[in-house]
Amino acid sequence: MGNLGATELIIIAVVIILLFGAKKMPDMARSLGRSMRIIKAETKGMRQDEGEEPVAPVQATATPARPQDPAPSQLPEAKAATASDVEKMQKQIDELQAQLKNSQAPQAEQKNAS
């Protein structure tokens, strides 16, 4: 088990690509890199003495920083849903479910015809 040659590594890589898909691999590698940077920054911070300033974790440039949630006093007041609002929403849900069933029916027929 300890002696993995080039052919074994290639076979393992092909199996991983087949299992996870080539489209997801760059995203997985990117998130792994971000995680490694965060872990590295956190371990550096743990090693430093209390007297020194800790190192801030590196934030990825691809994801924007999440804005702070507004204070409860800044949120608009929610109005109570009336019975007619609930009925309208239920009607919309029923229509969307019917559309979904109608769009899935031709796809099922095509699969059965194949």
Side-chain angles (χ1 to χ4, degrees), residues 20-60:
F20 295 111
K23 292 181 182 180
K24 294 182 184 179
M25 294 299 286
D27 293 334
M28 290 171 47
R30 198 173 299 122
S31 67
L32 181 65
R34 287 180 191 147
S35 300
M36 294 302 293
R37 281 194 298 269
I38 291 170
I39 290 172
K40 182 178 177 184
E42 291 296 325
T43 55
K44 281 183 183 178
M46 289 173 49
R47 288 181 189 156
Q48 290 180 345
D49 294 331
E50 290 181 2
E52 296 179 15
E53 214 173 292
V55 176
V58 178
Q59 290 197 3

Side-chain angles (χ1 to χ4, degrees), residues 68-78:
Q68 287 184 335
D69 292 332
S73 63
Q74 296 174 345
L75 294 174
E77 283 189 37

Side-chain angles (χ1 to χ4, degrees), residues 77-89:
E77 283 189 37
K79 66 175 187 173
T82 61
S84 63
D85 291 338
V86 173
E87 290 174 7
K88 287 178 187 178
M89 287 183 227

